[in-house]
Amino acid sequence: MNPNQPTEQDLHAYLDDQLDAERRQWVAAWLQANPERAAELEAWRRDAQHLRARYANPEQWPANPALDPAAIRRRQRAGQRRWLATAAMLVMALGIGLTGGWTMRDMTSPDSPPPMADAVQAYRLFTADVSLDGHDAIDKGHIVDANDATATTAPVPASHGREQIARLFRAHFSDGIMPPDLSAAGLEMTDARLLATDQGPAAMVVYRDQSGRQMMMYIRPPGAGHHMLEPGKRVDGKLMAQYWSKGNYNYAIVSQPDDPNAAMLEQMLRES
Amino acid sequence: MNPPDDDQLREILPRLRRFAVSLTHDPSDADDLVQATMEKAIGHWQRRRPDGDLRAWLFSILYRQFLDGRRRAGRYARLLQLFTSEPQTSASAEDIVVVNASWDAFDQLPPEQRALLMLVSVEGLSYREVSETLDIPMGTVMSRLSRARRSLRELDEGESREKRPAPSLRRLK
């Protein structure tokens, strides 16, 4: 590089006014002596001016409101909200999916019938048609229906006394509630049976009042997954079932809906 | 960190649009580019060097966005070419509406050279700032500047020799 001659870099820096004062003066003096390079530089200067003129006054261009920072910020916030909404929807969909799946599982699993439906079925099976076929309940109990899913043992005739029933309960429902003696209220125990369920033994005890009206106490283990019952009642056909959980068992009283004895029995059982 | 100052950004906005037009040739593409730049700038405000020049930072975001867009467009064009076997050309310089005069010679320069000339001659950035904005070494700034000015001269002289057409009304979009 010739130290007596500016570099190409110097010439551009001269043109763009990016030299210090001393060097600028030196380049200017050199250009005076080199008109050819000075003319080239002059052409570049005109080009720069041309460019500046072509792109002059951009602030006078038609405004584009979409480019305003406030508008951009608004859109970004909206985008964020959209994103959050989408995320929330996904979470919700997942929740609905899980809940739905759980509900479906409940609905499709074999445990899906209404609470204590087996109690109502037992009542129907062993008490409802007594008056129709003329047999008394104890005799009927000797017939084991092979089509019935729940096997049943032979009934314990009430005449054999409370002692036998108490033994049965102690054997199978050690910490369960004993069927109370309601003879003072004119109610006889007419039938007691041990039944089988998926979760273990259940038992039913039938009471009959003096007018022949029957009601039933039912005890069974909780459902699958140790599912305890919210206390409730429901009417199923011509029967009413009241049910609740206590200790390790579910209880039900199945009766005719207007039977006042059912309320008495329920109160006694729940308070014992 | 201070939140982005909208007034500061508004002040630079016209310069960003101008830089974008010089790169894209198309005002609506240019505004898309500016919008993407503003979104990035506002979203990434805390990554800004607090002592850095806001204008240079915004130019550098815009230039990077432009290059990324061109790479994507290039891939797309190559893909199209596979199906149509015809090269896709860029938008016509006729679409420029906002610039004051036709200057085909400048528009024919490669975008890297146009960006450099805009930043040096129009925006008046120092070579150091240009090197940071375009993310190229100082040596490359100088050699590219030299090439750009010589190319522009050659193209312009060629254009003059071809008898420049009389100035006519520019098509507005």
Side-chain angles (χ1 to χ4, degrees):
Chain A
M1 184 168 36
N2 185 348
N4 299 319
Q5 186 178 324
T7 61
E8 175 94 3
Q9 189 168 337
D10 285 330
L11 294 177
H12 287 287
Y14 174 78
L15 184 66
D16 297 321
D17 200 15
Q18 299 200 26
L19 289 179
D20 58 48
E22 196 187 332
R23 199 148 180 90
R24 189 172 63 238
Q25 278 168 12
W26 175 70
V27 172
W30 182 85
L31 283 172
Q32 293 248 308
N34 294 271
E36 211 171 299
R37 292 311 302 271
E40 189 182 26
L41 226 64
E42 193 46 39
W44 292 346
R45 191 192 303 282
R46 276 198 308 274
D47 282 345
Q49 277 166 356
H50 191 171
L51 201 60
R52 278 194 288 276
R54 192 189 196 206
Y55 288 101
N57 304 321
E59 59 283 347
Q60 289 169 13
W61 294 356
N64 181 349
L67 301 182
D68 191 81
I72 303 245
R73 228 183 280 284
R74 244 189 333 270
R75 268 198 307 278
Q76 280 183 342
R77 274 196 300 270
Q80 244 159 27
R81 272 198 302 275
R82 256 197 313 281
W83 188 89
L84 280 176
T86 308
M89 243 161 63
L90 283 174
V91 168
M92 226 163 73
L94 190 66
I96 289 169
L98 287 175
T99 317
W102 192 256
T103 311
M104 285 291 285
R105 173 195 158 279
D106 280 353
M107 281 163 60
T108 52
S109 72
D111 274 332
S112 59
M116 302 300 265
D118 49 347
V120 177
Q121 287 306 321
Y123 182 97
R124 288 214 173 102
L125 184 63
F126 297 115
T127 66
D129 55 354
V130 165
S131 54
L132 294 178
D133 61 19
H135 295 291
D136 76 28
I138 294 164
D139 285 343
K140 166 116 182 3
H142 288 293
I143 304 159
V144 176
D145 185 353
N147 291 325
D148 189 27
T150 55
T152 167
T153 62
V156 178
S159 50
H160 291 197
R162 284 191 46 76
E163 185 46 40
Q164 203 176 346
I165 292 171
R167 236 183 302 144
L168 186 146
F169 265 72
R170 272 197 299 273
H172 296 287
F173 312 100
S174 53
D175 50 354
I177 299 162
M178 286 279 177
D181 181 2
L182 300 178
S183 51
L187 289 156
E188 297 284 339
M189 271 187 223
T190 56
D191 192 0
R193 291 162 193 258
L194 198 59
L195 306 163
T197 73
D198 285 356
Q199 285 79 34
M204 58 179 281
V205 174
V206 178
Y207 294 87
R208 189 192 290 207
D209 71 7
Q210 279 153 347
S211 64
R213 193 155 53 177
Q214 300 183 96
M215 68 175 177
M216 183 190 84
M217 168 190 167
Y218 187 81
I219 177 171
R220 60 158 293 160
H226 207 75
H227 179 66
M228 302 307 264
L229 285 176
E230 286 294 316
K233 75 169 73 165
R234 64 191 171 83
V235 173
D236 186 332
K238 287 180 179 160
L239 298 175
M240 183 178 73
Q242 302 174 75
Y243 45 85
W244 67 95
S245 291
K246 188 169 186 179
N248 292 321
Y249 298 98
N250 289 350
Y251 296 87
I253 294 167
V254 180
S255 65
Q256 284 155 31
D258 56 352
D259 189 343
N261 294 324
M264 175 188 68
L265 176 59
E266 186 210 357
Q267 199 176 353
M268 286 180 73
L269 290 177
R270 296 190 70 163
E271 283 172 4
S272 48
Chain B
M1 286 289 160
N2 296 327
D5 183 335
D6 285 0
D7 287 339
Q8 255 176 302
L9 290 172
R10 272 187 204 109
E11 208 184 307
I12 301 171
L13 199 53
R15 292 163 176 275
L16 286 175
R17 292 177 82 191
R18 164 163 78 184
F19 187 42
V21 163
S22 78
L23 292 172
T24 63
H25 293 318
D26 177 87
S28 84
D29 284 354
D31 275 359
D32 287 348
L33 187 56
V34 172
Q35 187 176 323
T37 303
M38 294 289 275
E39 281 165 4
K40 258 228 155 82
I42 289 172
H44 295 185
W45 190 257
Q46 61 276 39
R47 290 198 205 159
R48 190 174 74 99
R49 285 218 315 272
D51 55 332
D53 181 50
L54 179 60
R55 191 170 50 139
W57 183 62
L58 291 170
F59 282 144
S60 76
I61 295 176
L62 192 147
Y63 187 66
R64 259 200 316 275
Q65 298 267 102
F66 168 73
L67 291 184
D68 288 352
R70 243 169 35 114
R71 266 196 288 276
R72 274 196 300 275
R75 278 199 295 274
Y76 179 64
R78 277 196 298 281
L79 200 66
L80 268 184
Q81 221 173 326
L82 284 179
F83 291 99
T84 62
S85 63
E86 259 177 45
Q88 302 288 311
T89 51
S90 62
S92 155
E94 285 297 308
D95 287 337
I96 302 175
V97 294
V98 285
V99 296
N100 297 330
S102 138
W103 195 11
D104 291 345
F106 179 74
D107 292 335
Q108 282 167 31
L109 290 177
E112 295 78 16
Q113 294 185 9
R114 288 203 302 272
L116 187 57
L117 289 178
M118 287 299 289
L119 294 182
V120 170
S121 299
V122 179
E123 298 299 341
L125 296 191
S126 72
Y127 295 153
R128 169 72 50 203
E129 286 170 321
V130 172
S131 144
E132 283 166 11
T133 300
L134 302 184
D135 197 22
I136 51 176
M138 278 293 279
T140 308
V141 172
M142 297 319 297
S143 58
R144 190 182 288 177
L145 183 60
S146 180
R147 249 195 332 274
R149 283 184 163 145
R150 290 173 187 283
S151 301
L152 183 57
R153 274 295 80 234
E154 278 169 34
L155 287 165
D156 196 54
E157 279 158 17
E159 202 177 303
S160 311
R161 271 198 300 278
E162 278 170 23
K163 198 163 53 128
R164 208 178 278 195
S168 56
L169 282 177
R170 309 281 297 169
R171 183 156 67 85
L172 292 180
K173 274 212 313 198

